[in-house]
Amino acid sequence: MQDTKTALIIGCDHAAFSLKEKLKDFLISKSISVHDAGTNSEDSVNYPEFGIKVASGISAKKFERGILLCGTGLGMSMVANRFPHVRAALCSDVFSAIMSRQHNNSNILVIGARVTGDILAEAILNAWLDTPFEGGRHQLRLDQFDNVNDLI
Ligand code: RB5
């Protein structure tokens, strides 16, 4: 990210608590401030509650970018993408994370902790943080997200 002091918001369910703690340490080591929306243990919780906390913060522009973690990443991406202006990208490889920024201007990175190992997750996050949106024709395509009724 351009401004290394920009605050991120991060959230997870019980399946990804351990990964959340590791990625928080990684963010702090990069001097990126992070708001932790929970969960804060491995006790079973319902992932939508934490997905909603993060996605609503992005949708309301309280935070520029966010991270969501669950077992597969599927549930978190499904719930996050229900919110206006949220573009949540489920990534299990570095290339997709880079493309999700360059072409899709993703504002939430989603990772499945039962799919992606900790070291790879850190590399995915690092690439996602450092890759800018390319704009241009990609912005025109993103604008179409808000005009679905005109395009049916
Ligand atoms: C929790 O068991 C699991 O369903 C959740 O972490 C996630 O994978 C949902 O999509």
Side-chain angles (χ1 to χ4, degrees):
M1 293 191 326
Q2 307 293 324
D3 175 3
T4 56
K5 300 295 178 211
T6 301
L8 282 168
I9 182 167
I10 191 168
C12 70
D13 73 355
H14 54 284
F17 169 67
S18 166
L19 179 60
K20 173 172 69 78
E21 295 305 297
K22 288 177 181 139
L23 294 184
K24 266 171 55 185
D25 288 345
F26 175 71
L27 290 166
I28 290 163
S29 78
K30 287 177 70 88
S31 302
I32 296 173
S33 66
V34 54
H35 177 84
D36 188 346
T39 191
N40 291 311
S41 79
E42 292 184 345
D43 294 345
S44 183
V45 292
N46 298 321
Y47 65 82
E49 294 167 26
F50 299 90
I52 288 165
K53 284 182 199 215
V54 170
S56 61
I58 300 297
S59 193
K61 302 194 191 311
K62 290 184 187 158
F63 297 91
E64 188 187 340
R65 285 160 76 176
I67 301 163
L68 278 171
L69 313 166
C70 65
T72 59
L74 292 167
M76 286 298 199
S77 39
M78 288 176 190
V79 71
N81 278 317
R82 296 176 72 93
F83 283 77
H85 314 303
V86 164
R87 293 174 301 278
L90 171 57
C91 296
S92 54
D93 64 275
V94 170
F95 178 72
S96 296
I98 290 170
M99 296 307 290
S100 84
R101 290 288 310 133
Q102 288 181 342
H103 286 197
N104 312 111
N105 199 14
S106 61
N107 50 15
I108 297 183
L109 173 66
V110 188
I111 299 176
R114 292 174 177 161
V115 177
T116 304
D118 294 350
I119 303 296
L120 178 56
E122 200 173 286
I124 289 168
L125 174 56
N126 197 41
W128 185 78
L129 290 170
D130 287 344
T131 304
F133 177 48
E134 286 180 355
R137 69 187 188 281
H138 303 297
Q139 184 57 58
L140 295 177
R141 291 164 185 167
L142 296 183
D143 291 343
Q144 293 186 319
F145 287 25
D146 298 323
N147 296 320
V148 289
N149 289 326
D150 298 340
L151 295 168
I152 292 170

